[in-house]
Structures are given as structure tokens and as C-alpha cells.
Amino acid sequence: MAQGIRDREVIAPTLREIAADWSADQEVFRQTHWGKAMMWIFLLSDTFIFSCFLTGYMTVRASAVLPWPNTAEVFALSIGGQDIPLILIAIMTFVLISSSGTMAMAVNFGYRRDRRKTAALMLLTALFGATFVSMQAFEWTKLIEEGVRPWSNPMGAPQFGASFFMITGFHGLHVTCGVILLLIIAYKVARGHYDRTGDYSAVEIAGLYWHFVDLVWVFIFAFFYLW
């Protein structure tokens, strides 16, 4: 009992010191919105993670002993009896890039304090994101049915499955989190929360995150699907 009290006496001041240090850091960002600064730091750390994934992927692919599957054939869809290479991936890319456009418009209307258009465009962006995730789930299901696993691949190099599920899965998780974030902020916009506070920065912060997710997909598309 006495030991527990002594531990609390030591831990509590330590936690206060940590909180004070973090608060003091706000001085560094005095001219910058705190939420935007934190989002930029988060995106920078995420950039390192995705860079490591893609670098690891290129290393694994370059060192693979067995033939690497032809992505144009693996990700082809049969439409009208014709196999169309990468058609699903092309549609997914178009959907995600379109969502960047609607998100940019939402931020623009957020600056103008136009609550209805901001909320509507954010919901449309979330719908694009949900569509993208749905198509990615279809793509995953198709490959799993064809026997691709993270540890094996009947079409060639076994590292293909691990690379595919890791990179696209991590990106899909980001898109899913982004859709949830957009829905929450769109709800608050529609309810007039930011009109009362006079600060629409949350819309811009969500936009930063969403544009980052879209940009990462462009690199994944180029390195994983086109290479």
C-alpha cells in the first residue's frame, strides 16, 4: 500500500512534466494551427512507413528467385468474354482521384462557411472512398479464390502475396479510417458545430489526410501494378 502511494507520488509529477513539455512545444508552431501541425507530423511519419513498404517491395521483387506474376494478367477482369488488363485498378484509381477533387471543393466551401455544400461534398468524398474500399475487397476476394496467400502464390514468387496484402491492406486501412473521419466531420459540419466555433480547420485537416491517401495510391499504382 505504502509502495503504491510512493509510486503515484513519483509518476504523477513525471506525467505533469511530460504534459508541460508537449504544451511548450506549441510555441514552436505559434503561427500554425495546432491540429494542422500535428497532422503534418503524422503524415510525415506515415510517409516513412509507406516508403519502407515500397522500398522493401522493390527489394523483394528484385531478389525473387521464382518468376514474378504479370500484374496485367493477374488483375485483369473478364468483361464480355474479353480479359481487360488492370481495368478494375484503373477504375479504383479514377474513383480515388475524383474523391480528391470533391474533397478540395469541400475545403473551398468550408473556407466560405457554406455548411450545406461542405457537408454534401464531404459525404460524396466518403462515398467515393467507400466505393474504393469495396472494389479493393472484391480484388482481395478474387486473388484469395485463385489461391494467393501472404505465404504462397500459385502463379510464381511467393513474396507476391505478402507484398500485395501488406501494401494494399495498409493503404485500404488508411482509406477506411479516412471515410470514418470524413463522416464524423461532415456530421459536425451539417449540425453547425463549426459555425458556432467559427473554425472550419477540421475540414482542411481532413482534406490533408485524404489528399495524402490519394497521393500514396498513385505511388502504389505505379510501383506495384504498372512495374
Side-chain angles (χ1 to χ4, degrees):
M1 181 68 177
Q3 181 63 36
I5 294 174
R6 282 196 294 274
D7 290 344
R8 284 197 292 274
E9 290 175 345
V10 172
I11 294 173
T14 304
L15 292 177
R16 280 196 293 272
E17 290 173 5
I18 294 173
D21 285 344
W22 277 85
S23 300
D25 285 341
Q26 292 190 50
E27 298 296 322
V28 178
F29 304 103
R30 184 175 294 175
Q31 304 300 324
T32 306
H33 189 281
W34 183 243
K36 294 178 190 174
M38 291 299 100
M39 177 55 75
W40 276 113
I41 292 174
F42 169 75
L43 296 181
L44 181 62
S45 65
D46 237 16
T47 301
F48 288 130
I49 295 174
F50 276 108
S51 299
C52 289
F53 278 172
L54 291 176
T55 304
Y57 159 73
M58 289 187 287
T59 304
V60 164
R61 179 165 177 175
S63 60
V65 177
L66 295 177
W68 199 265
N70 185 344
T71 52
E73 297 176 357
V74 173
F75 298 104
L77 278 186
S78 181
I79 300 176
Q82 295 287 330
D83 286 339
I84 304 179
L86 296 175
I87 182 64
L88 180 63
I89 310 303
I91 296 173
M92 290 169 64
T93 303
F94 175 77
V95 167
L96 210 55
I97 290 175
S98 298
S99 73
S100 248
T102 55
M103 189 66 231
M105 292 171 66
V107 173
N108 185 25
F109 282 111
Y111 283 135
R112 301 179 189 182
R113 305 288 192 270
D114 192 327
R115 179 160 54 94
R116 291 184 179 179
K117 290 181 180 177
T118 302
L121 286 165
M122 292 189 75
L123 288 175
L124 182 58
T125 305
L127 179 62
F128 278 133
T131 303
F132 175 88
V133 173
S134 300
M135 289 191 287
Q136 194 169 54
F138 173 81
E139 181 190 27
W140 272 46
T141 304
K142 177 175 175 290
L143 258 66
I144 290 172
E145 289 176 348
E146 292 173 354
V148 179
R149 299 288 186 274
W151 54 87
S152 65
N153 170 33
M155 294 176 278
Q159 297 93 334
F160 172 81
S163 302
F164 170 77
F165 288 118
M166 180 184 68
I167 295 174
T168 61
F170 194 61
H171 179 265
L173 175 65
H174 277 68
V175 177
T176 303
C177 292
V179 169
I180 295 171
L181 177 66
L182 290 174
L183 291 176
I184 292 172
I185 295 179
Y187 173 76
K188 296 179 78 170
V189 169
R191 298 279 294 179
H193 174 80
Y194 301 119
D195 284 333
R196 291 191 292 274
T197 61
D199 184 6
Y200 269 74
S201 298
V203 178
E204 185 179 354
I205 293 170
L208 285 174
Y209 177 84
W210 194 257
H211 293 315
F212 171 78
V213 169
D214 291 358
L215 180 63
V216 168
W217 176 255
V218 172
F219 282 97
I220 293 175
F221 179 72
F223 282 92
F224 192 87
Y225 293 99
L226 295 183
W227 183 27

